Amino acid sequence: MSTRKVRGASIAPATASATSESAQADPLHALDRIDRAILRQLQTDASISNVALAAKVKLSAPACLRRVERLKESGLIRGVVALIDPKAAGAGMLVIIGVVLDRSTPESFAEFEKAAQKVAGCMECHVVTGEFDYFMTIRTRDSDSFNRLHAEQLLYLPGVRQIRSFMVLKEILSTTKFPL
Amino acid sequence: MSTRKVRGASIAPATASATSESAQADPLHALDRIDRAILRQLQTDASISNVALAAKVKLSAPACLRRVERLKESGLIRGVVALIDPKAAGAGMLVIIGVVLDRSTPESFAEFEKAAQKVAGCMECHVVTGEFDYFMTIRTRDSDSFNRLHAEQLLYLPGVRQIRSFMVLKEILSTTKFPL
DNA sequence: CTTGAAATACTACTACG
DNA sequence: CGTAGTAGTATTTCAAG
């Protein structure tokens, strides 16, 4: 891959050249069959070379590269990252946490969100409907280290009324890729 | 990057060349300062070229490449993937689902897990402790499409006693990268 | 506006010290 | 681990659909 210059490449409107694709109401722009094939591949393995990718989607290398760069500049591809095996990296424990705040004021929410993002190993934090205000997922080494985190950080998050911890016993599925 | 041949490269013991690093009890093998710097970078942006990566970690290009390949072969780097912006791809809605099964038998769990992985847009599925048996996260287009999914798929998952849906109103944090 | 072919610049990769 | 050389790729340019 290699991200080199990427000079003044104008973000073109990107109309689906010739073939009229269905594209059932996509927000940004219509993706044709080839774009979707590219995205499916890159979601699975982005370490593939551009020439190999071009061959897979039956396109010349330059044309393929242009599409990939367009997808990146349009923001549809947020980034290309390496996925680390949590267990191998010493963060084999996953805990899902439901949080209820004391008060439902904008200040209370803002303060909590600011602090929550700094919690070590916090992978996700979402505002939800229902009996909780937030769900968070936290990666940590083991139950000892989680206990420490719980006692030293989670219980001191601002404006928290209640915290319920759901320890993950088995990770059935965990993917970053969704259907296109 | 480009994963080309990657021939019979033996998985070397990976002795920290000169400087003796502490490495506080890592499962697979000790990671020195440079390995961690490489992993931090690749977790953030893996589209960087090897020469640029080598410069960042103050190493020669071949030495850097050898480390990256060792990290891949050791399984610590599970893969390199493109992250898609869900909203731009027409899957802007996220729902967290708590599931309680009818019976807590091995067969019941196995049957559920098999079916759950086939649910369209299911990103995560975990066995948890506490008042639920499973937590799932599902990405879908909007509330209409979620309602359809709920009525047509979720309610027909085998052995389900109860399903509670927590609609995500705001995604505060969602990352694939954790501290090293 | 997009594609593909050819030419160039740079990188990944190999052998060796 | 670093240096030097080779092979292959990314990237630009350009012409054409």
Side-chain angles (χ1 to χ4, degrees), chain B residues 5-41:
Chain B
K5 296 172 203 172
V6 190
R7 310 166 315 139
S10 59
I11 304 172
T15 49
S17 60
T19 56
S20 60
E21 283 286 338
S22 53
Q24 60 275 20
D26 279 70
L28 290 184
H29 32 245
L31 299 173
D32 64 7
R33 184 181 313 279
I34 296 180
D35 281 325
R36 283 198 290 267
I38 290 175
L39 289 173
R40 272 194 295 272
Q41 170 61 44

Side-chain angles (χ1 to χ4, degrees), chain B residues 9-179:
Chain B
S10 59
I11 304 172
T15 49
S17 60
T19 56
S20 60
E21 283 286 338
S22 53
Q24 60 275 20
D26 279 70
L28 290 184
H29 32 245
L31 299 173
D32 64 7
R33 184 181 313 279
I34 296 180
D35 281 325
R36 283 198 290 267
I38 290 175
L39 289 173
R40 272 194 295 272
Q41 170 61 44
L42 294 184
Q43 273 192 121
T44 304
D45 180 10
S47 69
I48 185 177
S49 74
N50 181 61
V51 289
L53 177 62
K56 277 207 173 191
V57 302
K58 304 184 201 310
L59 219 64
S60 71
C64 183
L65 190 60
R66 276 191 287 266
R67 279 173 181 260
V68 172
E69 282 183 355
R70 191 194 304 152
L71 289 169
K72 283 182 182 173
E73 293 193 30
S74 74
L76 217 148
I77 295 180
R78 281 192 314 170
V80 176
V81 301
L83 300 179
I84 308 298
D85 180 49
K87 206 168 165 186
M93 186 174 186
L94 182 63
V95 184
I96 299 174
I97 293 171
V99 177
V100 181
L101 294 190
D102 254 338
R103 297 161 295 136
S104 294
T105 64
E107 298 78 20
S108 184
F109 275 78
E111 200 183 357
F112 175 82
E113 289 171 16
K114 193 175 154 193
Q117 297 191 31
K118 294 177 189 164
V119 173
C122 181
M123 307 300 290
E124 293 180 273
C125 180
H126 303 307
V127 180
V128 296
T129 63
E131 59 189 290
F132 294 105
D133 290 315
Y134 291 92
F135 266 119
M136 300 170 68
T137 66
I138 295 181
R139 282 216 170 274
T140 186
R141 181 177 295 271
D142 48 35
S143 56
D144 271 1
S145 66
F146 177 70
N147 249 316
R148 216 171 307 127
L149 188 77
H150 186 265
E152 293 173 6
Q153 294 193 57
L154 297 180
L155 293 180
Y156 291 106
L157 285 171
V160 170
R161 180 197 296 270
Q162 190 191 95
I163 288 183
R164 285 194 65 93
S165 301
F166 304 91
M167 202 172 73
V168 171
L169 299 176
K170 188 181 173 192
E171 302 188 28
I172 308 301
L173 176 68
S174 181
T175 183
T176 60
K177 119 180 137 187
F178 47 85

Side-chain angles (χ1 to χ4, degrees), chain A residues 2 4 50-51 65:
Chain A
S2 86
R4 239 188 309 177
N50 181 61
V51 289
L65 191 60

Side-chain angles (χ1 to χ4, degrees), chain A residues 41-151:
Chain A
Q41 170 60 44
L42 294 184
Q43 274 192 121
T44 304
D45 181 11
S47 69
I48 184 176
S49 75
N50 181 61
V51 289
L53 177 61
K56 277 208 174 192
V57 302
K58 304 185 201 310
L59 219 63
S60 71
C64 183
L65 191 60
R66 275 190 289 267
R67 279 173 181 260
V68 172
E69 282 182 356
R70 192 195 304 151
L71 290 169
K72 283 181 181 172
E73 292 193 31
S74 75
L76 216 148
I77 295 180
R78 280 192 316 171
V80 176
V81 302
L83 299 179
I84 307 297
D85 180 50
K87 208 168 165 186
M93 185 174 186
L94 182 63
V95 184
I96 299 173
I97 293 171
V99 177
V100 181
L101 295 190
D102 254 338
R103 296 162 296 136
S104 295
T105 64
E107 297 78 20
S108 185
F109 275 78
E111 201 183 357
F112 174 82
E113 289 171 16
K114 193 175 155 193
Q117 296 191 34
K118 294 177 189 164
V119 173
C122 181
M123 307 300 289
E124 291 181 274
C125 180
H126 303 307
V127 180
V128 296
T129 63
E131 59 188 290
F132 294 105
D133 291 315
Y134 290 92
F135 266 119
M136 300 170 67
T137 65
I138 296 181
R139 282 216 170 274
T140 186
R141 180 178 295 272
D142 48 34
S143 56
D144 271 2
S145 66
F146 177 69
N147 248 316
R148 216 172 307 126
L149 188 78
H150 186 266

